[in-house]
Amino acid sequence: MATVRHLAGLGPREATSATYLQALAWLEQRFVAAGYEVRRQPLQVPAGNSWGVQVRAGTTWNLIATRPGFDPGKPHQVVGAHLDTVPQAPGAEDNASGISVLLQAAQLTASRPLRLPTVFIAFGAEEPRGDGDNRHHYGSRAYVATLPAAHRRAMRGMVSLDRVGVGDVVPVCSATDTQPTTRNAVRAAAARVGVPTRACVNRSSDHWSFVRAGLPGARIGSTPYAAYHSARDLPNVVNPAQLDRVGKVVVSWLG
């Protein structure tokens, strides 16, 4: 919740804004303090309309954190969450909640053996800049597009944390009905730690960039809430107990 309060307290974090860059720097410091090697991946995004508000073209960044010695050519997994918001929302639930679990999971597992080496990514420009798949999910699409074939073959699963702090059951979504492998693995991990989940199909998050490129992916989160994409998306929207449930699921899946 401290992460949620801090990020929402900065105000809206539109992907090309100075506030986004401020949030990125703050998160980068926390990954470094936990012992991770961190790099910024810059990408260009176009001007457009983001949930009714015009936004300018410019540069945004993904933040990629790995343990020292990580080899992307060997089997690994990815956990991601988008750091940006729509221009009118402070984004406590969408998506400071996802970033909070991403950071906490990275901190908790920094010195623990995991099932597979893990890449933790805060994505830029997940929010739309127009209609359709190609005006959405810019950061994750850029990340996937730069992966060499050997790195793609080595990726065993990706989980996107997006709007994870509302409700009392954890939604675990595949992007299509025909590719539930990662969803099933996440739900099995949840069952091991006694967290209730529900299966869903949803491609409105960064996991879709991976799945549409033929990589395994799933989304945790997506429970509807009244303050969605509005100035009322404040920390009091987020349920700490739900963040705890999601964190347990993620750490269980990481192994």
Side-chain angles (χ1 to χ4, degrees):
M1 283 303 299
T3 296
V4 171
R5 286 190 291 268
H6 177 80
L7 292 176
L10 296 176
R13 302 178 300 282
E14 191 279 316
T16 63
S17 68
T19 307
Y20 179 85
L21 191 56
Q22 184 180 355
L24 190 83
W26 179 88
L27 186 61
E28 182 177 51
Q29 291 171 1
R30 271 128 195 93
F31 275 119
V32 170
Y36 288 86
E37 294 181 344
V38 182
R39 68 180 176 93
R40 298 184 185 189
Q41 180 185 29
L43 58 136
Q44 298 300 307
V45 294
N49 187 287
S50 184
W51 214 254
V53 178
Q54 291 299 122
V55 290
R56 66 181 178 87
T59 303
T60 192
W61 294 266
N62 295 329
L63 188 67
I64 303 166
T66 55
R67 290 186 187 178
F70 170 72
D71 182 351
K74 294 181 178 179
H76 65 277
Q77 56 203 2
V78 175
V79 181
H82 72 89
L83 182 59
D84 65 308
T85 69
V86 294
Q88 63 271 50
E93 170 65 353
D94 189 13
N95 187 37
S97 66
I99 291 291
S100 74
V101 175
L102 177 82
L103 177 59
Q104 188 79 77
Q107 290 169 330
L108 286 170
T109 62
S111 59
R112 289 171 50 177
L114 299 177
R115 178 171 57 89
L116 289 170
T118 301
V119 184
F120 295 94
I121 308 175
F123 291 113
E126 187 272 346
E127 297 291 2
R129 305 177 88 79
D131 296 329
D133 284 345
N134 292 327
R135 303 281 286 174
H136 211 192
H137 311 134
Y138 290 90
S140 53
R141 285 194 287 123
Y143 178 80
V144 171
T146 61
L147 292 175
H151 297 183
R152 294 186 185 212
R153 289 193 296 269
M155 191 180 299
R156 298 294 185 263
M158 183 272 178
V159 169
S160 176
L161 303 169
D162 195 347
R163 291 170 37 209
V164 300
V166 170
D168 53 16
V169 173
V170 176
V172 185
C173 307
S174 57
T176 69
D177 283 317
T178 58
Q179 292 186 314
T181 304
T182 304
R183 181 184 72 187
N184 293 345
V186 173
R187 295 191 76 202
R192 289 195 293 271
V193 291
V195 174
T197 62
R198 64 172 177 85
C200 45
V201 176
N202 183 308
R203 72 183 197 186
S204 297
S205 189
D206 288 307
H207 66 303
W208 175 233
S209 298
F210 290 76
V211 173
R212 70 190 293 202
L215 299 168
R219 172 182 179 170
I220 299 178
S222 72
T223 301
Y225 66 112
Y228 177 63
H229 280 188
S230 79
R232 295 177 290 111
D233 191 357
L234 297 166
N236 61 1
V237 169
V238 177
N239 177 5
Q242 183 73 337
L243 289 185
D244 184 62
R245 283 185 282 268
V246 173
K248 288 177 180 177
V249 172
V250 173
V251 172
S252 178
W253 180 72
L254 291 174

